[in-house]
Amino acid sequence: MRRVLTAGVTLMTVSALAACGAAGSGDEQLTVVMWGGADQKTHVEEAVEPWAEDAGVTVKQDSPSDYAKFRAQVESGNVSWDVVEVEPNFAHTACEKGWAEKLDTEVVDTSELKAEEVTDCAIPVLEYAFTIGYNTETFPGDHPTTWAEFFDTEKFPGKRGFWKYATGAMFEAALLADGVAPEDLYPLDIDRAFEKLDTIKDDIVFYETGEQQQQLVASGEAPLVQAWNGRIFSAAQEGQPVANEWNEHLLSYDQLVIPKGAPNADQAMDWMAWYVDHPEAQAGYANETGYGPITEDAVEHIDEDVLSELPTSPENAAKRAAIVDYAWWADNYDEVTERLNEWAAQ
Amino acid sequence: MTTLTHAAESPPADGTDPATRPGRGHGAERRGLDRWGLLVLPLVVFLLLVFITPLAVILARSVTDPQVGVENYLDFFSSSVYFDVLVNTFEISGLVTLLTLLLGFPYAYLMTLASPFWRGVLLVAVLVPFWTSLLVRTFAWKLLLDNTGIVNTFLLDQGLVDEPLALIRNQTGVLIGMVQVMLPYAVLPLFATMRGIDRRLVDAAEGLGARPIVAFWRIYAPLTLPGVVAATLLVFISSIGFYVTPALLGGPKSMMIGELIVQQLSGVLNWGFASALAVVLLVVTSLLLLVVSRFVRIGRLIGGQE
């Protein structure tokens, strides 16, 4: 869902290539599906190819992850995806509805992973944070360091960008801004969150894709965004006047699931086990993208300048307000989405 | 107006798909299907498989998922926000149709007056954007219309405005983008009709004493009506199903039904509701065609000349 529109182009290219390459190849293969773009390319190069070479498996790719396709493949019994990067609320739903294979914990060792990020069907693939992304030219001295300040349009005038999805952490941010203690965040008081959001409604701009997010904040159109840390990191590396404020960040993560009936579920499980077990592969990906690795021991393989931009660094981890509770979101996503539509349309 | 008076005889159901029509055949050939008619069979099978079957599945799903009943339709019509999306879809499509006609009519008229060379230039100017990917054009509009985009930067630099005009993430953005995308669909049928009009009729009217403006409105304009109706239908019906352009150029207040379907389908995974939305869209479109077919022969409009 995340980058649906922009990834559409990638999808067409990739599926065209996939169609050409379908013939031949060895009998062992694995089809990996992620969000597409440079992010997927890096991930596969750093953390799938090395395993595939050792295991003698041909890696195929598709993109972007699409929950409708996921469900359609499982329901029709015609599954062509083996392992798919998804948002955790979908992973919960898929597991509950029997659309995803249960993990074999004999194969995949989950003991090194954060307990909150593991379910019966899914392990994390990366960590990221919803940070306060700000334009350093608009706010050269003082910039918002808390969600309360992020919502303070008098002290910090200008538009605020939010991700257009219910799970985009805007409700969490609103409640923190309204004085809810991080440990009391869930179950979310959606009424109260909307009341808080009402106070800055005229200053809200919604973004849908990572590119839009970067463009909004870098151009100063919305000098403040509730950001994905990696997007701000990469924009800053390209010389854009943007930065992450890590204080009160909300930790989030993407997960990997295996669709029920995946033709190469065993290979998928094998690769997941390898990924958990190879901190240097996780770190290789993190170094390129600014999205965090999933195990603690990967931290030592990460470049110094990247580490300060990851939610995984000890320094940043201490500034975390909460981790997004996707189990709650899995139960409430539909309803809150409907309310968000309604609220935004008024 | 003579072309329009055939309306009552047959509202041809074949009109919706030019591909299924026998083309420029004369009436006699159309009557009976001889052996050559069997050549159509693969197409019929193809349509059955890839169009009719999924349609049936969607219909069925809209009344069975998540439970049997018309729950999904009730939800849609009882929820003010989703009904507003439908109203909004029609409002935007109507405005787009109106604007494309206002722009396309004089353009097509100019094409009939121009010398062959300039007609070619005008035609290419319509066709080049027509052949360019919708996605590319929509992103180009984003670059132009953003608050920090080319248009606003220019206006600000020239001191023409104090703060950026809100050209994007609202209905204005959607209209600008969609009108540009739909313009060829108005210009081409208008031009096709106008090219077939005998200009000597206008000359005759003027010869009989009508002032040029009167001759234009009383003789020429009514003869362009088939083109106008064709353009209206093409633009309006294509517009109500739009997704990419409103999603990228619009804001939460200008949501169209296509966006809502995608959200329900791949975001919320509420397939029953998404199917119901699709059925509503289809029914409304069909009703519209039915109404129009009472007045004009849609088949002829879209299938070309006699």
Side-chain angles (χ1 to χ4, degrees):
Chain A
M1 180 168 62
R2 184 184 303 183
R3 286 153 229 170
V4 182
L5 291 166
T6 41
V9 186
T10 329
L11 169 69
M12 281 183 269
T13 327
V14 172
S15 41
L17 291 175
C20 299
S25 80
D27 31 6
E28 299 266 299
Q29 49 173 273
L30 179 75
T31 304
V32 180
V33 185
M34 292 170 171
W35 296 111
D39 198 72
Q40 172 162 350
K41 191 163 168 276
T42 311
H43 215 145
V44 170
E45 274 172 14
E46 297 285 338
V48 186
E49 293 291 356
W51 162 82
E53 258 166 54
D54 288 351
V57 172
T58 312
V59 175
K60 296 189 170 176
Q61 296 186 53
D62 198 353
S63 75
S65 306
D66 181 324
Y67 306 148
K69 270 194 204 165
F70 190 110
R71 180 178 164 186
Q73 289 192 6
V74 172
E75 284 192 355
S76 67
N78 189 6
V79 182
S80 60
W81 291 350
D82 296 316
V83 58
V84 188
E85 176 180 2
V86 299
E87 288 156 292
N89 54 314
F90 175 76
H92 275 279
T93 307
C95 203
E96 211 170 279
K97 302 223 176 188
W99 301 336
E101 296 279 355
K102 294 264 190 290
L103 286 181
D104 184 350
T105 41
E106 300 278 298
V107 180
V108 184
D109 174 16
T110 55
S111 59
E112 295 293 309
L113 302 168
K114 289 199 179 85
E116 306 99 304
E117 299 179 359
V118 181
T119 62
D120 288 350
C121 301
I123 62 161
V125 60
L126 59 89
E127 280 188 350
Y128 66 103
F130 291 106
T131 57
I132 297 173
Y134 63 98
N135 185 304
T136 50
E137 283 171 359
T138 316
F139 302 111
D142 218 9
H143 66 265
T145 55
T146 63
W147 294 112
E149 287 182 327
F150 187 89
F151 274 71
D152 188 344
T153 48
E154 269 175 32
K155 195 169 169 201
F156 300 102
K159 300 273 184 203
R160 274 86 169 128
F162 282 107
W163 190 15
K164 202 177 134 189
Y165 292 101
T167 43
M170 66 189 280
F171 297 102
E172 284 88 340
L175 289 170
L176 290 172
D178 205 31
V180 175
E183 58 275 19
D184 300 333
L185 213 45
Y186 296 96
L188 295 178
D189 184 345
I190 295 293
D191 293 323
R192 184 168 171 184
F194 272 119
E195 268 169 44
K196 186 67 182 172
L197 287 164
D198 272 331
T199 62
I200 59 162
K201 190 170 181 181
D202 293 339
D203 285 313
I204 292 179
V205 178
F206 286 107
Y207 63 82
E208 201 152 349
T209 65
E211 288 78 10
Q212 282 174 338
Q213 174 193 132
Q214 288 171 319
Q215 193 272 337
L216 279 174
V217 61
S219 69
E221 190 165 343
L224 291 172
V225 292
Q226 187 177 31
W228 313 334
N229 71 294
R231 283 289 175 162
I232 298 297
F233 169 76
S234 59
Q237 282 207 319
E238 285 164 17
Q240 308 274 11
V242 297
N244 281 308
E245 167 58 54
W246 280 93
N247 195 36
E248 290 197 348
H249 74 264
L250 290 150
L251 185 66
S252 181
Y253 52 99
D254 274 358
Q255 284 184 317
L256 293 170
V257 288
I258 301 171
K260 191 90 185 169
N264 307 298
D266 291 345
Q267 275 85 349
M269 216 86 81
D270 256 4
W271 171 62
M272 282 155 93
W274 181 90
Y275 185 59
V276 174
D277 208 31
H278 282 71
E280 65 280 9
Q282 300 167 29
Y285 166 71
N287 280 332
E288 292 287 321
T289 59
Y291 289 119
I294 55 172
T295 58
E296 282 299 325
D297 42 0
V299 171
E300 60 191 88
H301 301 277
I302 288 175
D303 301 342
E304 202 55 44
D305 57 326
V306 177
L307 188 60
S308 62
E309 289 294 318
L310 291 184
T312 326
S313 81
E315 191 191 337
N316 288 338
K319 296 179 181 167
R320 157 179 145 182
I323 180 166
V324 178
D325 182 349
Y326 285 101
W328 185 87
W329 273 113
D331 292 336
N332 295 279
Y333 179 69
D334 295 12
E335 197 194 318
V336 179
T337 296
E338 188 166 343
R339 286 192 59 181
L340 180 59
N341 280 344
E342 203 170 329
W343 180 81
Q346 276 162 4
Chain B
M1 287 302 274
T2 48
T3 44
L4 300 182
T5 52
H6 299 290
E9 334 171 341
S10 65
D14 62 330
T16 46
D17 191 340
T20 60
R21 290 177 53 83
R24 21 179 97 244
H26 296 291
E29 286 174 6
R30 253 187 240 174
R31 205 146 292 149
L33 279 179
D34 53 19
R35 274 171 300 146
W36 291 104
L38 291 176
L39 285 174
V40 185
L41 205 62
L43 182 67
V44 173
V45 173
F46 178 75
L47 282 178
L48 267 176
L49 277 178
V50 305
F51 185 66
I52 306 292
T53 316
L55 206 59
V57 172
I58 285 175
L59 252 172
R61 208 181 256 280
S62 75
V63 289
T64 56
D65 185 358
Q67 70 258 35
V68 180
V70 291
E71 201 83 0
N72 289 320
Y73 293 94
L74 291 179
D75 278 355
F76 176 74
F77 287 105
S78 61
S79 149
S80 69
V81 58
Y82 293 147
F83 190 73
D84 284 351
V85 170
L86 187 69
V87 173
N88 189 45
T89 306
F90 279 89
E91 188 185 308
I92 289 180
S93 305
L95 284 170
V96 168
T97 310
L98 192 71
L99 290 170
T100 46
L101 282 178
L102 285 177
L103 292 170
F105 192 93
Y107 191 93
Y109 186 59
L110 195 65
M111 278 170 74
T112 63
L113 298 182
S115 67
F117 172 77
W118 284 109
R119 184 182 303 158
V121 172
L122 288 171
L123 193 64
V124 167
V126 172
L127 288 178
V128 167
F130 186 62
W131 290 328
T132 310
S133 150
L134 177 80
L135 209 59
V136 171
R137 281 192 281 166
T138 305
F139 274 108
W141 277 117
K142 273 178 67 63
L143 293 179
L144 283 165
L145 301 177
D146 257 330
N147 285 13
T148 49
I150 294 164
V151 172
N152 271 318
T153 309
F154 175 79
L155 292 175
L156 286 169
D157 287 352
Q158 299 294 312
L160 295 170
V161 292
D162 292 331
E163 57 180 80
L165 299 177
L167 297 173
I168 199 173
R169 285 186 285 279
N170 55 27
Q171 208 186 53
T172 314
V174 180
L175 285 180
I176 294 174
M178 283 180 66
V179 165
Q180 197 247 352
V181 171
M182 295 314 298
L183 210 47
Y185 294 90
V187 170
L188 296 176
L190 282 169
F191 175 63
T193 307
M194 287 180 183
R195 199 176 46 178
I197 296 174
D198 191 344
R199 288 200 62 84
R200 286 175 303 179
L201 293 170
V202 181
D203 294 340
E206 288 182 29
L208 291 168
R211 281 180 293 132
I213 184 92
V214 175
F216 181 84
W217 281 114
R218 298 204 31 201
I219 307 297
Y220 193 84
L223 290 172
T224 63
L225 266 181
V228 172
V229 175
T232 306
L233 271 184
L234 273 175
V235 173
F236 190 82
I237 288 173
S238 312
S239 293
I240 52 182
F242 253 59
Y243 165 57
V244 171
T245 309
L248 285 172
L249 301 179
K253 285 177 198 162
S254 58
M255 195 187 223
M256 289 179 73
I257 201 162
E259 293 170 80
L260 188 57
I261 292 176
V262 172
Q263 185 190 67
Q264 294 293 322
L265 196 71
S266 61
V268 182
L269 288 175
N270 199 345
W271 288 8
F273 190 63
S275 303
L277 290 172
V279 171
V280 168
L281 192 60
L282 183 70
V283 167
V284 169
T285 310
S286 312
L287 282 178
L288 220 67
L289 280 170
L290 201 71
V291 169
V292 176
S293 71
R294 304 284 302 169
F295 302 101
V296 289
R297 294 182 63 175
I298 295 173
R300 179 183 301 173
L301 293 180
I302 298 171
Q305 262 71 42
E306 289 276 288

